[in-house]
């Protein structure tokens, strides 16, 4: 069946957005350059030199303040959308042909709005992969021997290198990588594939959360709690990953991560409640749950992984929180779409956006999937509109760098899902 022709993406920018044309962005870049020059740039990295500096960190000849806001050539929507990303190299004809034919790189979902990225630096990928496996086996005893293939197939090193192109060192990348692996251990062992169950999930999550947000209790009971942090793989992973994180993060960065992890756990509980009741939520209810059970903790730490800190008052701004929420929402629908066939093949009923749309709106599987693509695209455009508006209105170097980091995480997350053919394959809807 030929692929349906989807309408071109529509911007949610108001007409007034045309006032934020290229000249405004250029002025913002110049102001940001002045601030950078006056302050000496972002805080220096405090960790040891890296074995391989990221390609994105190497200044190209002639690189200047324009790189702070990647200025487009047009006015209005297009210009605003493009300010947060460096343009990825155009793929070769052979690469394009391979994608269209479903090469080992994996197919891109037809009609899905996304930004291609260069292949993650293989030197960094190899080193992060080596270190994270050593951590998982030697430091936290994360998984038994028969799970090794699944751990390797997750390709978490490639995932995190692709999502954090501005990380100044392998040590910084490991901050994100340990947290990602720990979060997946909690999801797998408490909620999903490896012994997870909605029954008693609240207790398990609460006790695991104390590995992130320490219990302060009486001397009689403190040792029992401390011992409990080694009781199972998820708690061991959370405890260790958080210990590494707080060594690199400031107090406000650590507290914001704890907050976002509590949000994540709240989303897990809502999904578990629906599973216990055998209930399919309304579409808007599902999307509300997905704003909590999503990737939000990952882009929210982009400054820690980048070796700098976005001040707490700037991170807490409602317009910044909206950007982060929309980034988490869009990237999580990407997961729903790429993991669709994997979840259908698993035992039981797994809620994802296409399944909920099909059940609640009476759509065929195909139409529900295609509508999910449209919902993702709208969320992506809303994310980019909100990020561009914030960048134009508050062109501080730290804000611009953080927004670019979140955008890079969004793009890297898609690249990993699309290219991880060990885990994901697409339905035959086109």
């Amino acid at each position: 069946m030929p692929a349906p022709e989807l309408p071109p993406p529509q911007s949610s920018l108001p007409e007034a957005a045309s006032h934020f044309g290229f000249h405004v962005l250029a002025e913002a870049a110049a102001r940001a350059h002045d601030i950078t020059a006056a302050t000496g740039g972002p805080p220096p990295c405090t960790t040891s030199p890296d074995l391989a500096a990221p390609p994105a960190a190497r200044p190209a000849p002639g690189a200047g303040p324009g790189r702070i806001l990647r200025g487009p050539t047009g006015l209005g929507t297009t210009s605003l959308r493009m300010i947060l990303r460096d343009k990825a190299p155009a793929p070769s004809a052979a690469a394009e042909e391979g994608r269209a034919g479903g090469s080992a790189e994996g197919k891109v979902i037809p009609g899905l709005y996304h930004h291609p990225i260069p292949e993650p630096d293989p030197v960094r990928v190899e080193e992060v992969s080596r270190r994270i496996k050593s951590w998982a086996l030697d430091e936290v005893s994360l998984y038994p021997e028969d799970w090794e293939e699944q751990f390797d197939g997750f390709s978490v090193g490639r995932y995190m290198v692709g999502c954090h192109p501005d990380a100044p060192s392998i040590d910084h990348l490991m901050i994100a990588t340990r947290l990602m692996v720990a979060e997946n251990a909690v999801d797998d062992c408490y909620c999903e594939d490896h012994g997870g169950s909605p029954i008693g999930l609240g207790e398990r999550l609460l006790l695991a959360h104390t590995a992130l947000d320490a219990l302060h209790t009486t001397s009689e009971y403190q040792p029992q709690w401390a011992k409990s942090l080694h009781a199972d793989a998820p708690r061991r992973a959370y405890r260790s990953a958080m210990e590494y994180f707080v060594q690199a993060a400031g107090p406000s960065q650590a507290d914001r991560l704890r907050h976002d992890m509590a949000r994540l756990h709240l989303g897990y509980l809502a999904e578990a409640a629906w599973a216990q009741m055998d209930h399919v939520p309304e579409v808007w209810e599902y999307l509300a749950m997905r704003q909590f059970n999503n990737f939000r903790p990952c882009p929210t730490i982009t400054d820690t992984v980048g070796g700098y800190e976005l001040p707490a008052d700037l991170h807490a701004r409602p317009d910044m929180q909206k950007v982060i929420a929309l980034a988490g929402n869009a990237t999580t629908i990407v997961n729903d779409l790429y993991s669709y066939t994997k979840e259908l093949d698993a035992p039981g009923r797994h809620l994802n956006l296409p399944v909920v749309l099909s059940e609640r709106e009476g759509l065929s599987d195909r139409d529900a999937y295609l509508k999910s693509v449209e919902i993702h695209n709208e969320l992506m455009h809303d994310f980019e509109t909100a990020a561009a508006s914030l960048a134009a209105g508050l062109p501080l170097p730290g804000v611009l760098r953080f927004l670019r980091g979140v955008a890079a995480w969004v793009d890297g997350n898609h690249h990993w899902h699309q290219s991880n053919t060990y885990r994901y394959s697409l339905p035959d809807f086109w």
Side-chain angles (χ1 to χ4, degrees):
M1 180 180 296
E5 190 164 334
L6 297 179
Q10 297 297 312
S11 170
S12 58
L13 278 171
E15 291 185 2
S18 63
H19 292 227
F20 293 105
F22 178 72
H23 65 287
V24 174
L25 300 177
E27 291 171 5
R31 288 196 300 273
H33 176 61
D34 292 341
I35 295 169
T36 302
T39 61
C45 172
T46 57
T47 58
S48 58
D50 192 4
L51 57 88
R58 301 173 191 145
R67 289 180 62 83
I68 298 173
L69 289 174
R70 175 57 64 184
T73 56
L75 299 176
T77 303
T78 303
S79 65
L80 282 173
R81 283 184 182 156
M82 293 305 294
I83 64 174
L84 299 177
R85 292 177 171 86
D86 289 323
K87 187 175 180 180
S92 66
E96 288 288 5
E97 182 179 352
R99 285 196 186 95
S103 71
E105 294 181 353
K107 294 181 180 179
V108 174
I109 294 171
L112 191 79
Y113 178 63
H114 71 285
H115 300 276
I117 67 167
E119 185 62 25
D121 180 357
V123 176
R124 291 191 143 207
V125 170
E126 182 179 2
E127 179 62 12
V128 172
S129 299
R130 183 190 68 79
R131 290 197 196 182
I132 192 60
K133 193 166 185 178
S134 175
W135 173 80
L137 292 175
D138 301 334
E139 292 192 43
V140 298
S141 301
L142 186 69
Y143 60 85
E145 186 176 339
D146 57 344
W147 291 9
E148 183 174 10
E149 181 185 344
Q150 295 177 53
F151 185 87
D152 293 342
F154 193 80
S155 302
V156 68
R158 188 165 173 272
Y159 194 176
M160 293 296 97
V161 173
C163 285
H164 296 284
D166 72 335
S169 75
I170 297 293
D171 289 340
H172 286 83
L173 284 166
M174 286 300 299
I175 294 167
T177 309
R178 291 187 201 92
L179 286 167
M180 170 62 78
V181 170
E183 290 161 22
N184 275 274
V186 169
D187 191 24
D188 285 347
C189 297
Y190 286 0
C191 309
E192 297 278 355
D193 310 58
H194 297 296
S197 168
I199 308 299
L201 179 60
E203 178 192 25
R204 295 192 296 276
L205 288 177
L206 173 65
L207 297 179
H209 194 82
T210 67
L212 309 172
D213 198 348
L215 176 65
H216 302 286
T217 188
T218 63
S219 58
E220 179 181 358
Y221 299 107
Q222 191 80 15
Q224 297 174 46
W225 164 72
K227 183 179 179 181
S228 77
L229 299 183
H230 301 268
D232 60 20
R235 280 183 276 188
R236 291 193 298 270
Y238 262 4
R239 178 198 57 78
S240 177
M242 194 66 181
E243 284 183 355
Y244 280 103
F245 180 79
V246 298
Q247 292 173 26
S252 68
Q253 290 173 306
D255 199 54
R256 86 162 84 124
L257 175 62
R258 295 184 187 103
H259 187 187
D260 279 349
M261 292 301 292
R263 284 176 162 134
L264 175 67
H265 296 158
L266 183 61
Y268 286 169
L269 291 172
E271 191 169 15
W274 290 332
Q276 283 187 275
M277 297 185 292
D278 193 25
H279 173 70
V280 177
E282 298 288 348
V283 177
W284 73 266
E285 292 174 323
Y286 177 81
L287 292 171
M289 181 274 291
R290 271 315 215 179
Q291 182 161 308
F292 292 83
N293 178 4
N294 76 8
F295 288 113
R296 184 180 182 130
C298 303
T300 204
I301 64 170
T302 187
D303 55 339
T304 307
V305 181
Y308 66 101
E309 180 169 0
L310 180 69
D313 60 330
L314 296 179
H315 183 270
R317 286 172 57 107
D319 45 5
M320 181 65 78
Q321 288 296 301
K322 180 179 179 180
V323 168
I324 296 169
L326 285 167
N329 292 349
T331 54
T332 303
I333 301 307
V334 163
N335 180 264
D336 276 11
L337 292 167
Y338 278 100
S339 65
Y340 176 73
T341 57
K342 177 176 178 283
E343 292 183 346
L344 287 183
D345 291 340
R349 178 169 59 185
H350 287 251
L351 290 183
N352 54 53
L353 185 55
V355 166
V356 174
L357 281 166
S358 178
E359 178 81 14
R360 283 297 184 178
E361 298 190 359
L363 301 176
S364 68
D365 291 346
R366 178 179 179 274
D367 287 346
Y369 192 92
L370 296 182
K371 184 169 182 178
S372 298
V373 172
E374 294 174 2
I375 290 172
H376 164 271
N377 291 352
E378 183 174 343
L379 289 169
M380 272 289 289
H381 294 319
D382 288 348
F383 157 66
E384 294 190 341
T385 296
S389 177
L390 178 54
L394 192 67
L396 300 175
V399 170
L400 301 179
R401 186 176 180 186
F402 188 84
L403 291 173
R404 288 173 66 89
V406 174
W409 202 94
V410 170
D411 296 344
N413 176 75
H414 172 267
H415 179 78
W416 177 81
H417 278 86
Q418 168 254 312
S419 59
N420 193 331
T421 54
Y422 175 84
R423 289 173 63 86
Y424 305 124
S425 61
L426 299 187
D428 187 18
F429 289 153
W430 299 276

